[in-house]
Amino acid sequence: MRSIWNGSISFGLVTIPVKTYSATDRTSSVSFVRIHEKDGAQVHYRKICELDGEEVPNEEVGKGYQPPGDETVVPITDDDLSRLPMPTAKTLSILSFVDPSEIDPLQMDKAYYLGPNGASAAKPYTLLREALEHHRKVAVGKVAMRGRESLAMLRAYDQAIVMHTLLWPDQIRSATGVAPDDVGLRENELKLAETLMDSLGELDPAELHDDYREAVEELVAAKMEGEEPAAPSASGSSGAQVIDLTAALEKSVRAAQGGGEPDARAESASVTSLRGRKPAKKGEAGPRASGRSGTPTEKTPKKTASAPAKKAAGKKTAAVAKTSSGRTRSASPAKKTGTSARASTAGTATKTTSKSTTKKATGGKSGRKTG
């Protein structure tokens, strides 16, 4: 691994010579080149001078600074920058030791490994690493790399010291206007969300990989062999809007815990399994989930008006009533069931003039039938 910056860490009166190595590798991510669609040839960028319109070779390209709101460009040379008073050009000066929670992840920019530079640096390097780990603190300081000064955070990681360059506070934009205002949440919804979080289990970094990169590689391989790319598999999510949030949460909890029948109310919700998830440990997600949520997922939907309708239909399958003209007629079971259901659900029924006549003739039997 090639070092990209050599300097030292200033820790009080202790100086630790270090070498800096890139801790991340972004070359494995998918990147495309620009081509001319007409003939497939690659398109290159050319550096053109705006004044004479001619291409400028790399050795003639320099630096310039344009003040905000001004069209003037001031040339800046490397010699000008070397004479600037920048004590952090070769030294990372530690300013303070703070709790890791005080560093907002929004400020983190790039990560580097710091290794001891020489045998004499091994002991102070190890001392700083062990102190950071044992005290559970991170160091915050300033360092100048590649012509600019940045904030830096040092932390212990895997028997080494990692340096994260940080953005300055004024480089973080405000979140005003991003989040919605005045959204009401029920306590049951919050408990279900927390139960789902506990039920998803632990994340296994060893199983995480870039599915998109693999798909692109398969696509390229198929094209190189002259084959047609495989059709994408249908996604399990329909993309429909979830109307019942509580039902969707209940269904998600059951799916994460590996049991339970799908809820018909949440058919529009879908649960996508995330690779790299370990099942939740016993005694953590399961009991904690049921205790905190009050086992909402075990409840079955309450029966609606169909139950009273069936009960009313079972009492009598046919009824005999006399009309005002003295004739008798039998009501069909289907018609009587529908009348009873409407009476049970709506609570009102329209009565005709035959009600009083029927009441007298049957001695109040119709009251028991419809009541």
Side-chain angles (χ1 to χ4, degrees):
M1 198 183 311
R2 186 176 63 88
S3 63
I4 60 174
W5 182 84
N6 294 346
S8 60
I9 300 174
S10 175
F11 176 31
L13 297 178
V14 178
T15 300
I16 310 171
V18 292
K19 289 186 175 183
T20 306
Y21 309 92
S22 293
T24 57
D25 182 13
R26 302 189 181 186
T27 58
S28 61
S29 60
V30 175
S31 61
F32 300 99
V33 297
R34 295 182 179 272
I35 63 170
H36 187 193
E37 291 185 349
K38 184 177 180 180
D39 51 23
Q42 190 170 343
V43 176
H44 296 280
Y45 290 100
R46 300 171 59 196
K47 300 177 179 67
I48 304 298
C49 177
E50 291 186 356
L51 187 60
D52 54 23
E54 296 183 0
E55 186 174 356
V56 180
N58 288 333
E59 58 269 17
E60 295 182 12
V61 176
K63 297 184 181 71
Y65 182 80
Q66 186 174 5
D70 195 340
E71 296 182 358
T72 304
V73 177
V74 180
I76 302 293
T77 65
D78 291 338
D79 189 48
D80 294 333
L81 295 175
S82 65
R83 291 198 298 264
L84 290 176
M86 191 180 292
T88 56
K90 286 294 181 180
T91 302
L92 193 158
S93 301
I94 295 179
L95 304 176
S96 179
F97 293 89
V98 300
D99 291 328
S101 60
E102 295 185 32
I103 306 297
D104 196 308
L106 278 174
Q107 286 187 261
M108 293 187 182
D109 191 11
K110 295 182 179 180
Y112 303 90
Y113 289 128
L114 298 183
N117 189 3
S120 61
K123 187 170 184 178
Y125 177 91
T126 305
L127 174 64
L128 177 59
R129 184 200 66 207
E130 291 296 320
L132 290 171
E133 189 169 11
H134 183 265
H135 206 40
R136 297 182 179 179
K137 297 282 187 178
V138 296
V140 177
K142 294 196 297 184
V143 64
M145 293 177 60
R146 297 177 175 177
R148 62 184 62 191
E149 189 176 58
S150 303
L151 283 174
M153 180 190 77
L154 304 183
R155 66 183 179 96
Y157 173 79
D158 197 17
Q159 302 300 314
I161 296 177
V162 175
M163 178 181 72
H164 295 270
T165 55
L166 304 176
L167 300 176
W168 297 97
D170 59 358
Q171 291 179 301
I172 306 298
R173 294 179 176 176
S174 172
T176 304
V178 176
D181 298 327
D182 301 330
V183 177
L185 293 175
R186 296 194 297 269
E187 185 179 355
N188 186 41
E189 293 172 342
L190 186 58
K191 287 182 178 179
L192 281 170
E194 293 174 354
T195 302
L196 177 58
M197 293 166 64
D198 294 336
S199 301
L200 284 178
E202 298 178 357
L203 190 65
D204 185 4
E207 296 185 6
L208 297 177
H209 62 278
D210 191 345
D211 293 326
Y212 179 72
R213 183 183 67 190
E214 290 183 358
V216 171
E217 290 172 351
E218 292 176 2
L219 171 65
V220 172
K223 283 181 169 290
M224 291 180 67
E225 295 177 2
E227 300 177 357
E228 284 293 327
S233 58
S235 174
S237 174
S238 61
Q241 184 180 5
V242 179
I243 304 300
D244 193 337
L245 179 59
T246 302
L249 287 169
E250 290 176 354
K251 181 180 178 182
S252 301
V253 169
R254 286 197 300 273
Q257 293 177 344
E261 293 294 327
D263 194 335
R265 295 174 299 169
E267 285 302 319
S268 58
S270 62
V271 180
T272 304
S273 60
L274 176 64
R275 287 189 180 181
R277 288 285 184 191
K278 291 181 179 178
K281 295 181 180 179
K282 292 184 178 180
E284 289 184 3
R288 183 180 176 187
S290 61
R292 295 177 67 180
S293 61
T295 60
T297 57
E298 299 298 327
K299 293 181 180 180
T300 55
K302 292 182 179 180
K303 294 188 177 182
T304 55
S306 59
K310 291 180 181 178
K311 186 176 180 182
K315 284 186 177 181
K316 272 193 178 289
T317 56
V320 179
K322 289 185 179 181
T323 60
S324 55
S325 59
R327 291 183 179 179
T328 61
R329 63 178 182 183
S330 72
S332 65
K335 186 178 290 185
K336 194 63 183 178
T337 302
T339 308
S340 301
R342 287 194 300 272
S344 301
T345 54
T348 54
T350 52
K351 307 292 182 178
T352 57
T353 334
S354 62
K355 179 181 176 183
S356 56
T357 310
T358 306
K359 216 170 188 180
K360 292 177 182 179
T362 59
K365 288 183 181 180
S366 62
R368 289 194 300 273
K369 287 184 287 184
T370 58

